[in-house]
Amino acid sequence: MVTTMDVVPLTATLGAEVRGVDLADLDESTFADLRKVFLDHKVLFFRDQDLTLDAHIAFGRRWGDLELHPFANEGDSPEIVQLESTADRPYAASRWHSDVTWRPEPSLGSILRARIVPPAGGDTLWADACAAYDRLDDELKERIDGLTATHDWLRVFGGRLSEEEREAERAKHPVVHHPVVRTHPETGAKGIYTNRAFVTHVDEVDADESERILDRLERAIMDPSIQCRFRWEVDSIAMWDNRCTQHYATDDFWPAHRRMERVTVVGDRPF
């Protein structure tokens, strides 16, 4: 199927709405163009994508192998993570983070579809981790160059497991150490790669300095001038590059119902 793709940027460097494409029926030429647009804008948004679960999974697989999440898989399809919030069970990923950084080879990207949206609220924000790094002062850049940080799934998912389950999962998923500043494997851009969701501390510095570094990097990510924001509609899809962005889901819609479905593309070891 030959398509005419229209790319509408949300900001000068981060986020773009892509129009005129059907993600369930992309020819190879359009998909190649989409890969370039993805690298250029880091977060892509698509409206009115009435995909089946199989089509969602198939689109994700065009980018690479898919993550099978050990702690957030409650549906019938192991590749699909269901993210649901109800009046009785409110949920929103309301901390700045990048997905599954606790993996030795964290995610390349995530593809999130809105199934049920609240009548108001429930937006998601993304931050450009490379732009945030570029704005750091030279002294801080020099201090964090070459440092690593410890990433641990237990911070987010440990509370839902028994002690025995935590010990069993810890054996399968030990803590990992990734660079504080990650180099994007395709663009070569440097970006902040710490987040409060999964990072416990910066390695090889004392606790006070670790906290100061993490605080300054988190505040850099929180700068509105390097962010974009998306208002969801049913069958909207957002796809983002976890190697150079972080995201935050607002929790301003409770007690309304919200249900999202995500596939996550496996990446490579950060350097």
Side-chain angles (χ1 to χ4, degrees), residues 26-244:
L26 286 178
D27 60 84
E28 289 302 321
S29 176
T30 304
F31 183 71
D33 291 342
L34 193 62
R35 290 190 71 98
K36 182 179 185 305
V37 172
F38 179 63
L39 292 177
D40 288 344
H41 294 280
K42 306 178 181 70
V43 189
L44 302 182
F45 304 105
F46 309 86
R47 300 285 189 185
D48 302 319
Q49 300 290 325
D50 185 17
L51 301 182
T52 64
L53 289 180
D54 286 344
H56 190 176
I57 292 168
F59 177 65
R61 283 184 175 148
R62 295 188 74 167
W63 299 85
D65 294 334
L66 297 185
E67 163 91 8
L68 301 182
H69 202 296
F71 309 116
N73 181 4
E74 299 178 357
D76 296 329
S77 300
E79 299 90 349
I80 297 282
V81 173
Q82 303 277 354
L83 303 170
E84 188 161 22
S85 180
T86 64
D88 296 330
R89 190 182 178 188
Y91 170 79
S94 52
R95 301 182 78 178
W96 285 104
H97 68 287
S98 177
D99 291 328
V100 296
T101 64
W102 45 269
R103 290 283 204 189
E105 296 181 343
S107 163
L108 179 156
S110 299
I111 305 167
L112 182 66
R113 177 188 180 187
R115 285 285 196 173
I116 298 172
V117 300
D123 294 0
T124 303
L125 293 83
W126 283 264
D128 186 336
C130 297
Y133 172 78
D134 289 342
R135 294 182 179 214
L136 299 177
D137 62 70
D138 291 340
E139 181 181 356
L140 181 55
K141 286 181 179 178
E142 184 177 356
R143 180 66 188 99
I144 63 179
D145 183 40
L147 292 179
T148 62
T150 297
H151 296 241
D152 190 352
W153 58 267
L154 194 65
R155 289 171 64 84
V156 173
F157 303 110
R160 66 184 67 176
L161 304 176
S162 68
E163 184 175 350
E164 289 184 356
E165 289 171 329
R166 285 196 295 271
E167 291 180 359
E169 292 298 334
R170 169 62 79 214
K172 291 186 285 186
H173 307 290
V175 299
V176 298
H177 308 275
H178 294 314
V180 169
V181 178
R182 178 174 186 171
T183 301
H184 195 287
E186 296 185 73
T187 69
K190 291 186 175 182
I192 295 170
Y193 202 64
T194 59
N195 66 86
R196 289 293 193 173
F198 299 121
V199 170
T200 60
H201 61 278
V202 177
D203 301 328
E204 298 181 354
V205 302
D206 64 42
D208 288 342
E209 184 176 10
S210 171
E211 186 62 24
R212 286 194 298 270
I213 290 173
L214 293 177
D215 181 65
R216 291 186 66 182
L217 298 183
E218 182 181 38
R219 284 188 281 118
I221 290 291
M222 293 169 66
D223 180 355
S225 64
I226 52 93
Q227 297 174 6
C228 68
R229 184 176 184 129
F230 187 62
R231 174 63 177 144
W232 293 96
E233 299 171 354
V234 173
D235 290 338
S236 294
I237 286 181
M239 177 178 182
W240 61 94
D241 193 331
N242 274 304
R243 301 165 296 184
C244 59

Side-chain angles (χ1 to χ4, degrees), residues 3-14:
T3 60
T4 301
M5 185 168 64
D6 187 20
V7 179
V8 182
L10 271 67
T11 76
T13 63
L14 180 70

